[in-house]
Amino acid sequence: MNIPNLLTVLRVLLIPIFILLFYMPYHWSYMAASTVFAIAAATDWLDGYLARRLQQSTPFGAFLDPVADKLMVAVALVLLVQVHANFWLTLPAAVIIGREIVVSALREWMAELGARAHVAVSSLGKWKTAAQMLALVILLGNPPVVNFWVVLGYGLLLVAAALTLWSMVHYLVAAWPHLREGSEKK
């Protein structure tokens, strides 16, 4: 266990804490949940930076880092869909979670073919993650009342969903030759 891996494990351990804070019946609970989520999101950047800088990349970290990110985002989206219960949050949440399932399956399948590099993380994914994390921090920090911050959060989540779809298409296009090979053999 090195520092980057410990930060990744911390990110997973923070999930039940921000859930608990989110549901507490106090006026400050949204902001507290958002703060814990923001700390977890910062550890995502920090663990990757430290793993590269200190040359401490490990197979465990390579496995757990994307799992921690997906868990954190999916849980936050589920919490928000429950309390906001509207199209402007539910549609991008479904797109983001659906894309993660498709791309994870695609990456696993491509790895089995020895072609994982064709669906590696791109810079587009980094922009998607930034918009998504900022949207979630804003939305978790505010009650489900239409105001400037909530509308900004919805807007950023829609941008993240659009980038999510765009990156999924990018990955599918990269994998298409491998996907077509199987159908041509039949």
Side-chain angles (χ1 to χ4, degrees):
M1 271 301 205
N2 56 33
I3 293 172
N5 287 348
L6 288 171
L7 288 171
T8 302
V9 169
L10 173 65
R11 192 157 66 253
V12 173
L13 295 175
L14 288 175
I15 294 170
I17 295 170
F18 83 74
I19 293 170
L20 180 66
L21 289 168
F22 187 80
Y23 283 116
M24 291 183 87
Y26 302 110
H27 70 280
W28 49 263
S29 66
Y30 288 115
M31 193 55 71
S34 177
T35 301
V36 171
F37 184 88
I39 291 166
T43 68
D44 180 27
W45 172 83
L46 184 59
D47 71 21
Y49 172 78
L50 290 174
R52 287 185 299 278
R53 175 90 174 170
L54 303 174
Q55 297 178 357
Q56 292 185 343
S57 295
T58 65
F60 176 73
F63 160 73
L64 190 60
D65 184 64
V67 170
D69 298 343
K70 288 167 184 34
L71 283 172
M72 196 174 88
V73 168
V75 167
L77 287 169
V78 168
L79 292 174
L80 291 167
V81 164
Q82 181 202 8
V83 297
H84 286 257
N86 66 48
F87 174 81
W88 300 107
L89 201 131
T90 303
L91 178 65
V95 166
I96 290 167
I97 292 171
R99 180 264 190 196
E100 293 303 337
I101 293 167
V102 169
V103 171
S104 293
L106 181 64
R107 285 186 177 139
E108 182 179 331
W109 182 72
M110 292 292 283
E112 286 180 21
L113 297 177
R116 173 89 160 88
H118 293 290
V119 287
V121 177
S122 68
S123 61
L124 180 59
K126 305 253 185 231
W127 285 103
K128 178 231 16 147
T129 299
Q132 179 177 273
M133 292 303 188
L134 184 56
L136 293 174
V137 167
I138 290 169
L139 291 168
L140 286 168
N142 288 280
V145 176
V146 177
N147 61 32
F148 170 79
W149 292 108
V150 170
V151 171
L152 177 62
Y154 288 169
L156 285 168
L157 200 60
L158 287 168
V159 167
L163 291 172
T164 290
L165 285 175
W166 187 8
S167 70
M168 182 179 74
V169 168
H170 173 77
Y171 292 132
L172 288 170
V173 166
W176 184 250
H178 299 281
L179 293 168
R180 242 178 80 210
E181 278 178 17
S183 65
E184 289 175 356
K185 291 178 181 175
K186 289 184 178 181

